Amino acid sequence: MAFVKNIFDKNFIEYASYVIRDRAIPDIEDGLKPVQRRIMHTLFEMDDGRFQKVATVVGRVMKYHPHGDASIGGALVVLANKEYFIEKQGNFGNIYTGDSASATRYIECRVNPLAKDFLYNPNVTKYVPSYDGRAKEPVVFRAKLPLVLLTAAEGIAVGMNTKIMPYNIREVIEAEKKCLNGENFHIDPDFPTGGLLDVSNYRDGSGKIVTRAKFDLSDEKKIVITALPYPSTTESLISSIENAAKNGKIKISAIHDLTAKDVNIEIKLPRGVRAEDVVPSLYAYTDCEQSVSANMLVIKENMPVQVTATDVIQFHAEKLKTILKDELEFEKNALTEKLHQRTLERIFVEERIYKEIEQQKTQSAVIKAVKKGFETHKSELVRELSDEDIEKLLSIPIRRISLFDMKRNKAEVTAIKKRLKEIARLLKNLTEYAISYLDSIEEKIKEAKIDTKRKTTVKKFNAVDAREIAKRTLSLRYDEKGYLGTAVSSGVELMKVSEFDKIICMRKNGMYTATDVPSKVFIDKDAWFVGFADKEEISKILFTVIYKDETGKAYIKRTRIPTWIVNRDYFIAGDDAEILHVDTREEFLFSLKFEKNKRFKKFNTQDFEEKGLKMQGIKISEKKCEDIKIEDAKTAPIVFFAE
């Protein structure tokens, strides 16, 4: 058994790790999930400046991502609608209406040059074999922007989940520049659908946000929705409004979706209903107000880690300097090697070293002659002359030697040295270089005409509680069979209630319970009390309880119900008590008939003091009680209720 358990534990851990790292959670470094990373890698490979059929791209991605074309196509459409990664041509759906994209065979895409700038740097990116070993794919792109904040993400893994809000690209870049300068910064989410946003309970990446639709109330006879609350679409929002109207929560005469380039949902109101009176109900009963929980979980150093937006900005500020340094070092090494080769070529031709090899008869003699020719020029070389260098020199065609341009060589060498000098300066001032790079990205975003204006307005507002604005329009009825509820069609109407109210009822046996307003429930044929479960109001009511104990002796208890827990049963008297009467009046007369006595003896409730709820009542007589008669009210049990 232990062996089998170990196998199951090992397999489950491997499966959980795979789901967490390779499917559901984005990496902090490039902000992408594996399928998104493979899509971008494929687009970089296919990039020739022309649009490609999305179906073609999906097919090519499948050699890296063996999980079916549907998941790839859906992920590509989502990336394309982010604007920064993919240029699109055709119907890629509508983020406002929720309309889906056309089939992949009808739409086209190509990589956005902007994405190539901040994401694609193959010279300093680590690649690994694909799942079948036939190709190579990046472990993670070395992104120069904190894309995890720009793309947003939502995913469920084994035992954990992530829900990252989207942020504004201009604000993210500005925050990163402030971080590089050592200044304080703060950023809030920004949704492409616009709307209003309350971040009072949002903790820099985690916690809860409240979003609201934006209304145009310039015409009091109609309400125009001009921006959607995240994560609604016009379809889901209209559906919620229609349902609320159908259930009597709001009053509208018609609703029209006029959304095209911008959100435009027109709600027409009935005669006598003003727009400003309907707005609270729209927030309370429809998706015009939504609460969203955020959880910024990412993969960092191959492990799932909870981070904040500030952590992401700080991580990428340092990461950007590292990436730029690696790119400069790579370029420096490449230029140094190029300078070495150009120097070798110049000396080889200018000093006519190639002439020395014409008389040599063996390969070794040729190599020896070349080495001898360079001995006097060692001080001009960038590094030691190698056998590989000699092979490159010997492979130069005679025609190229005869047409060798000394001026051109000199100009090229000068340019290389100038760039090497510039690289040396940049390596000493990486922070300044990183900031200048971010400035250049902002300029390219402007040139690409990407809208960076903030769409969501951050504003503190009090969430509308449906309970506070709910009107008591439902009839709570109690019939002769003992049924209580809003769906009871006959009987006595006790009071008007709303669906958010709670009531407290006391049955014939003295058991009382606080519950939500029922649709239809059997409580008892002769219930003593039904009222609103308002602790402040109920505590003002003095209950007079007359009951018999197991010996038949009568007791009276005048008490109050100060508190309770919803849906829990309580007894107004002892467990073995037989309830004779319950009343809510301050004073009334009652008579008891005792054993072996033909007459009733009259009592006044005012003669008995008030006692605690859990205390025993006051014994009325040592004699056993046979019957009770209420002198100044009906003798039959009746239902009392609080207004």
Side-chain angles (χ1 to χ4, degrees):
M1 288 297 293
F3 174 72
V4 174
K5 183 179 182 300
N6 290 337
I7 291 176
F8 273 99
D9 289 346
K10 179 177 179 293
N11 290 346
F12 180 77
I13 290 171
E14 289 178 356
Y15 166 73
S17 300
Y18 168 72
V19 173
I20 293 167
R21 293 180 302 179
D22 295 336
R23 293 189 69 176
I25 312 298
D27 196 290
I28 190 173
E29 191 157 343
D30 62 6
L32 302 175
K33 297 180 182 180
V35 63
Q36 297 171 323
R37 189 175 300 114
R38 287 160 181 163
I39 289 169
M40 294 308 301
H41 173 59
T42 301
L43 285 171
F44 289 139
E45 282 188 326
M46 298 175 67
D47 184 35
D48 59 3
R50 295 180 294 178
F51 281 98
Q52 306 271 359
K53 285 284 187 184
V54 170
T56 303
V57 177
V58 170
R60 291 281 290 271
V61 174
M62 287 184 71
K63 72 178 183 179
Y64 299 109
H65 192 73
H67 295 290
D69 58 342
S71 62
I72 298 171
L76 192 150
V77 168
V78 171
L79 268 182
N81 285 326
K82 299 293 183 183
E83 293 188 298
Y84 318 121
F85 300 92
I86 300 171
E87 291 184 354
K88 52 192 180 181
Q89 189 165 272
N91 176 21
F92 276 74
N94 189 313
I95 62 172
Y96 297 133
T97 64
D99 293 337
S100 58
S102 297
T104 55
R105 61 185 179 276
Y106 298 126
I107 54 179
E108 298 179 330
C109 69
R110 66 183 177 190
V111 70
N112 192 323
L114 190 65
K116 210 164 187 179
D117 193 311
F118 62 67
L119 200 60
Y120 188 58
N121 37 26
N123 295 324
V124 294
T125 300
K126 182 181 178 181
Y127 288 80
V128 293
S130 60
Y131 72 95
D132 61 1
R134 289 189 174 94
K136 289 188 175 182
E137 61 177 317
V139 176
V140 64
F141 284 118
R142 304 194 69 187
K144 295 174 189 162
L145 289 179
L147 300 181
V148 72
L149 299 180
L150 304 179
T151 59
E154 186 172 354
I156 300 174
V158 179
M160 59 186 65
N161 74 294
T162 187
K163 190 171 180 67
I164 303 172
M165 302 292 105
Y167 289 76
N168 182 281
I169 188 169
R170 177 178 52 80
E171 293 179 2
V172 168
I173 292 174
E174 289 300 321
E176 191 166 356
K177 288 198 291 187
K178 287 182 178 180
C179 182
L180 287 165
N181 281 323
E183 302 174 20
N184 294 327
F185 62 89
H186 175 77
I187 53 174
D188 288 317
D190 185 26
F191 304 110
T193 53
L196 304 175
L197 171 66
D198 187 343
V199 293
S200 301
N201 297 315
Y202 186 67
R203 298 181 299 277
D204 199 22
S206 299
K208 187 177 288 186
I209 61 169
V210 180
T211 61
R212 278 184 176 179
K214 273 187 180 179
F215 297 139
D216 178 359
L217 305 177
S218 56
D219 186 344
E220 65 176 14
K221 296 180 181 179
K222 67 179 180 180
I223 298 173
V224 179
I225 300 175
T226 59
L228 300 173
Y230 177 84
S232 294
T233 62
T234 56
E235 183 179 355
S236 66
L237 191 62
I238 289 172
S239 178
S240 72
I241 295 171
E242 289 175 338
N243 288 336
K246 183 179 179 181
N247 294 327
K249 308 298 183 186
I250 57 174
K251 292 181 180 180
I252 65 172
S253 61
I255 184 167
H256 302 289
D257 186 4
L258 307 176
T259 300
K261 184 180 178 182
D262 299 311
V263 175
N264 189 336
I265 300 174
E266 188 178 273
I267 304 173
K268 292 188 176 180
L269 305 176
R271 181 177 296 179
V273 178
R274 295 188 305 169
E276 60 184 22
D277 295 332
V278 179
V279 168
S281 297
L282 285 172
Y283 286 144
Y285 295 113
T286 75
D287 288 347
C288 287
E289 177 177 296
Q290 295 199 57
S291 180
V292 183
S293 295
N295 183 42
M296 195 173 287
L297 184 77
V298 298
I299 300 298
K300 184 179 181 182
E301 296 177 358
N302 216 30
M303 291 292 291
V305 179
Q306 191 90 29
V307 295
T308 64
T310 301
D311 294 335
V312 174
I313 294 292
Q314 291 171 342
F315 173 84
H316 273 275
E318 290 302 314
K319 185 63 67 173
L320 176 59
K321 292 194 288 185
T322 303
I323 296 169
L324 293 175
K325 179 183 177 183
D326 291 345
E327 287 184 341
L328 289 173
E329 291 285 2
F330 181 85
E331 185 184 3
K332 175 185 174 182
N333 293 335
L335 287 175
T336 301
E337 181 61 24
K338 190 175 182 180
L339 178 62
H340 178 65
Q341 295 300 326
R342 295 297 174 268
T343 304
L344 289 178
E345 290 174 2
R346 177 184 61 79
I347 296 172
F348 186 69
V349 176
E350 189 176 46
E351 301 300 327
R352 296 181 178 273
I353 295 176
Y354 63 89
K355 289 287 186 180
E356 301 294 328
I357 65 176
E358 292 177 354
Q359 304 300 321
Q360 310 303 323
K361 295 181 179 181
T362 64
Q363 181 68 16
S364 59
V366 169
I367 294 173
K368 187 176 181 181
V370 173
K371 286 183 177 180
K372 185 178 179 182
F374 274 98
E375 282 183 2
T376 56
H377 303 283
K378 282 185 178 181
S379 59
E380 299 178 51
L381 300 182
V382 176
R383 60 170 173 78
E384 289 284 335
L385 183 68
S386 66
D387 291 341
E388 187 180 348
D389 293 333
I390 295 173
E391 287 295 329
K392 289 180 181 179
L393 291 171
L394 294 176
S395 63
I396 299 175
I398 295 296
R399 178 177 177 79
R400 184 179 162 194
I401 292 175
S402 61
L403 296 175
F404 190 79
D405 190 338
M406 290 294 180
K407 288 184 179 180
R408 182 179 177 183
N409 180 277
K410 186 177 180 180
E412 191 173 355
V413 168
T414 302
I416 291 172
K417 288 181 176 179
K418 182 179 179 182
R419 179 55 185 166
L420 286 171
K421 188 176 180 180
E422 176 67 11
I423 289 173
R425 185 187 69 80
L426 293 174
L427 286 170
K428 291 180 180 178
N429 300 278
L430 282 173
T431 300
E432 180 185 330
Y433 180 41
I435 293 171
S436 67
Y437 171 79
L438 294 174
D439 288 336
S440 70
I441 284 290
E442 284 187 306
E443 287 300 318
K444 289 175 182 177
I445 290 172
K446 289 180 183 178
E447 292 172 7
K449 296 181 179 180
I450 295 175
D451 184 13
T452 60
K453 185 179 178 181
R454 183 172 185 84
K455 297 177 177 63
T456 309
T457 303
V458 177
K459 182 180 180 181
K460 187 172 183 179
F461 44 80
N462 295 323
V464 177
D465 189 347
R467 292 173 175 80
E468 294 179 0
I469 66 169
K471 294 181 179 179
R472 288 173 172 167
T473 58
L474 302 174
S475 294
L476 184 69
R477 293 182 176 274
Y478 176 64
D479 66 15
E480 64 278 0
K481 295 180 181 179
Y483 285 95
L484 175 74
T486 56
V488 175
S489 57
S490 61
V492 181
E493 181 182 298
L494 301 180
M495 50 189 164
K496 292 288 188 181
V497 297
S498 76
E499 69 271 29
F500 299 109
D501 280 327
K502 287 182 171 52
I503 61 167
I504 189 167
C505 59
M506 188 179 298
R507 297 177 176 84
K508 182 67 176 175
N509 61 0
M511 179 186 290
Y512 64 91
T513 311
T515 65
D516 294 327
V517 171
S519 175
K520 185 176 182 180
V521 65
F522 179 79
I523 56 170
D524 216 324
K525 194 171 181 180
D526 294 308
W528 293 113
F529 175 84
V530 177
F532 289 113
D534 183 321
K535 293 185 178 180
E536 185 177 342
E537 294 300 320
I538 290 290
S539 64
K540 295 177 183 177
I541 299 174
L542 181 63
F543 288 87
T544 299
V545 186
I546 305 169
Y547 65 93
K548 291 194 297 184
D549 67 6
E550 65 273 12
T551 65
K553 295 173 182 178
Y555 290 79
I556 183 170
K557 180 166 70 171
R558 311 198 74 200
T559 189
R560 300 178 192 274
I561 302 175
T563 186
W564 59 81
I565 296 174
V566 175
N567 296 324
R568 180 178 291 184
D569 295 333
Y570 299 90
F571 283 99
I572 195 72
D575 292 342
D576 297 323
E578 178 187 342
I579 303 297
L580 297 175
H581 185 74
V582 177
D583 214 306
T584 59
R585 289 172 293 175
E586 289 283 343
E587 181 181 4
F588 66 92
L589 300 176
F590 67 96
S591 297
L592 294 178
K593 182 180 179 182
F594 297 106
E595 191 180 52
K596 299 178 181 180
N597 192 335
K598 294 182 180 180
R599 295 183 179 182
F600 281 87
K601 185 175 181 180
K602 190 177 292 186
F603 298 92
N604 190 321
T605 55
Q606 290 289 70
D607 295 334
F608 302 94
E609 63 180 0
E610 183 179 331
K611 303 195 76 173
L613 180 63
K614 294 185 179 181
M615 295 180 68
Q616 187 180 24
I618 300 169
K619 188 185 296 183
I620 300 175
S621 172
E622 288 292 339
K623 299 177 182 179
K624 292 183 179 181
C625 178
E626 287 188 347
D627 198 5
I628 184 171
K629 181 171 65 175
I630 307 302
E631 298 291 339
D632 49 354
K634 295 179 182 179
T635 56
I638 58 174
V639 174
F640 301 92
F641 60 93
E643 292 289 350

